Amino acid sequence: MPGIVIVGAQWGDEGKGKATDLLGGSIDYVVKFNGGNNAGHTVVIGDQKYALHLLPSGILTPGVTPVIGNGVVVDIEVLFHELEALVARGLDVSRLVISANAHVITGYHRTLDKVTERFLGKRQIGTTGRGIGPAYADKINRVGIRMQDLFDENILRQKVEGALEQKNHLLVKVYNRRAIAVDEIVDDLLSYVDRLRPMVGDAALLLNRALDRGENVLFEGGQATMLDVDHGTYPFVTSSSATAGGASTGSGVGPTRLDRIIGIAKAYATRVGAGPFPTELHDESGEWLRSRGFEFGTTTGRPRRTGWYDAPIVRYASRVNGLTDLVLTKLDVLTGLERIPVCVAYDVDGERVDEVPVSQSDFHHAAPIYEEFPGWSEDISGARSFDDLPSAARDYVLAIEQLSGTRISVIGTGPGRDAVIERHPLIG
């Protein structure tokens, strides 16, 4: 089964980087197919911790070809900052391939992101201010800059002039900011051309040929299902397709070539940014989860909102992604709790609702209906088989597996690379 997709089954930060790394020894290519540097993966290898924002997690695995697909928006300054940091730590990054059709985040995208968010006031979405949304907006409006444009200065200048003609009016007349000079943007982008040239190519052709040869290609989603621009909690979402369908559109590989869809879910729930979050905790339990789980954004450092496991959310993610497997992470964080609540349904205006409401208004007003499960006090960080877990931990896993509608194939029992239990193989 050469085509494997990994997606977040909640609001992001579920531990997708660790799942990708777990598969690393069997994978030939790792593809980032959506998003930009607005979300991060933290991967722990031995006593080394790596925080990746734009690069695919597979860049940490020798012999794997990491690919940035056409569905990604690339901040080139961030790209080289990450590459240089990895080289300084002794890693080989020479295999990186970037799709010529990937769009570029420019200085004016970052500026617009920040001033627009401030302008929204109480209606802020909670963006990271890194220019992701404006870059995707330009892509849809057909005024975006693609990686391939950097290798033709005349085309690049024409496209930047066209984009800034409208944006400078907006910056000056609406936001009371200075106009941005065309030369400022063009000169900045051209400064990267020589270093970029060996990396940029036809990524879709590369990946399809790899699949033809029977090689294993892993498609790694940024953000998560509930932040998907179509299927998430709109408008409090990201600007790209973070569900499994985005793996095809963001890479140029057809959906019939995707054999396994793996969802990642924490044993509880977190969210960064604004938007509905039915199980959110505003008490000491929420602080306890945040402290125990080190719940601070890899990219932003922002404290994450914390809450109990929401089974309807993961069941929804299973449905819209077509999940074949779940990887449950951070089960160890729950150690020490006497009782563990799990959201099994919602109360919406006095009526029980078992699935995620299609109405945005109803979901904003949804109150969780909990079922409680016994906790455990034993240290599970050394557990390497399901039977190693305390009976209460096993019961918890089996209960949320049934509620979530997809088998739990892997369980994370600690932050280390080897702190996992494999109930069912993810590949083979």
Side-chain angles (χ1 to χ4, degrees):
M1 49 180 67
I4 304 166
V5 183
I6 285 184
V7 292
Q10 296 160 315
W11 280 279
D13 308 308
E14 300 97 344
K16 294 184 290 293
K18 180 174 181 178
T20 304
D21 188 60
L22 181 65
L23 289 162
S26 306
I27 299 298
D28 302 296
Y29 292 79
V30 174
V31 187
K32 179 165 181 165
F33 62 81
N34 78 300
N37 58 303
N38 54 337
H41 295 315
T42 299
V43 180
V44 179
I45 302 176
D47 60 352
Q48 296 291 308
K49 181 182 287 187
Y50 298 88
L52 304 175
H53 308 281
L54 180 59
L55 295 169
S57 298
I59 202 161
L60 300 175
T61 306
V64 169
T65 299
V67 178
I68 293 177
N70 58 273
V72 177
V73 288
V74 180
D75 185 318
I76 304 174
E77 181 182 355
V78 171
L79 172 72
F80 282 110
H81 177 75
E82 283 197 38
L83 290 172
E84 289 160 5
L86 293 179
V87 169
R89 296 175 70 174
L91 274 76
D92 176 17
V93 298
S94 62
R95 299 171 69 93
L96 177 66
V97 176
I98 305 170
S99 171
N101 291 337
H103 280 245
V104 177
I105 298 172
T106 69
Y108 54 78
H109 291 130
R110 290 188 293 270
T111 298
L112 279 169
D113 200 357
K114 292 171 184 173
V115 298
T116 303
E117 183 78 349
R118 283 197 290 268
F119 190 78
L120 288 172
K122 292 181 179 179
R123 295 181 292 111
Q124 288 186 6
I125 293 169
T127 78
T128 57
R130 285 163 167 76
I132 312 296
Y136 276 114
D138 276 5
K139 176 179 179 176
I140 300 303
N141 286 326
R142 292 165 291 186
V143 293
I145 309 296
R146 298 193 295 178
M147 296 297 293
Q148 60 179 279
D149 298 328
L150 274 61
F151 305 111
D152 188 321
E153 185 174 348
N154 289 331
I155 287 179
L156 177 62
R157 185 171 295 275
Q158 289 173 30
K159 290 195 171 186
V160 172
E161 286 174 350
L164 282 177
E165 185 175 357
Q166 178 195 55
K167 289 173 174 56
N168 277 334
H169 283 292
L170 188 64
L171 284 169
V172 173
K173 296 177 181 177
V174 176
Y175 298 125
N176 196 30
R177 298 297 177 114
R178 71 169 182 87
I180 296 174
V182 171
D183 285 346
E184 175 186 337
I185 300 299
V186 172
D187 290 347
D188 177 58
L189 294 177
L190 289 177
S191 70
Y192 297 106
V193 165
D194 290 340
R195 285 187 287 172
L196 280 171
R197 198 179 300 276
M199 305 176 187
V200 177
D202 190 340
L205 179 62
L206 176 77
L207 294 171
N208 277 284
R209 285 181 172 171
L211 289 167
D212 289 342
R213 294 190 297 269
E215 294 180 283
N216 293 321
V217 180
L218 180 66
F219 300 84
E220 175 185 69
Q223 293 84 41
T225 300
M226 298 310 293
L227 296 179
D228 182 272
V229 69
D230 287 294
H231 302 291
T233 51
Y234 191 89
F236 303 99
V237 293
T238 192
S239 301
S240 62
S241 298
T243 43
S248 286
T249 57
S251 69
V253 171
T256 57
R257 313 206 73 172
L258 307 178
D259 303 281
R260 202 129 181 195
I261 313 295
I262 301 168
I264 317 299
K266 278 179 184 165
Y268 50 101
T270 62
R271 177 167 194 166
V272 171
F277 184 7
T279 67
E280 183 173 12
L281 297 166
H282 300 283
D283 56 13
E284 60 185 23
S285 294
E287 287 298 329
W288 187 86
L289 283 174
R290 186 177 297 111
S291 174
R292 286 267 301 176
F294 304 105
E295 296 298 348
F296 299 89
T298 302
T299 295
T300 63
R302 287 186 292 184
R304 295 174 184 144
R305 299 158 66 189
T306 55
W308 301 120
Y309 190 88
D310 189 324
I313 286 291
V314 181
R315 192 160 61 244
Y316 173 80
S318 295
R319 187 167 63 249
V320 300
N321 288 293
L323 297 184
T324 59
D325 303 84
L326 273 172
V327 173
L328 186 71
T329 63
K330 292 197 168 185
L331 183 65
D332 55 300
V333 172
L334 301 181
T335 299
L337 293 171
E338 290 186 11
R339 307 287 295 176
I340 307 173
V342 172
C343 173
V344 297
Y346 308 113
D347 182 306
V348 180
D349 297 328
E351 181 179 347
R352 180 185 171 112
V353 177
D354 291 311
E355 302 295 342
V356 175
V358 68
S359 163
Q360 175 185 329
S361 180
D362 285 349
F363 195 49
H364 270 278
H365 294 103
I369 296 174
Y370 287 117
E371 184 175 336
E372 288 196 345
F373 296 88
W376 60 91
S377 58
E378 299 92 330
D379 179 9
I380 66 169
S381 61
R384 296 297 178 268
S385 74
F386 193 60
D387 289 339
D388 289 342
L389 293 174
S391 60
R394 293 198 302 270
D395 290 344
Y396 179 77
V397 171
L398 293 173
I400 63 175
E401 179 179 59
Q402 184 175 16
L403 288 165
S404 302
T406 301
R407 70 179 188 179
I408 294 175
S409 296
V410 174
I411 303 163
T413 58
R417 190 179 192 179
D418 61 342
V420 293
I421 294 169
E422 291 192 66
R423 296 177 69 211
H424 308 284
L426 293 180
I427 191 169

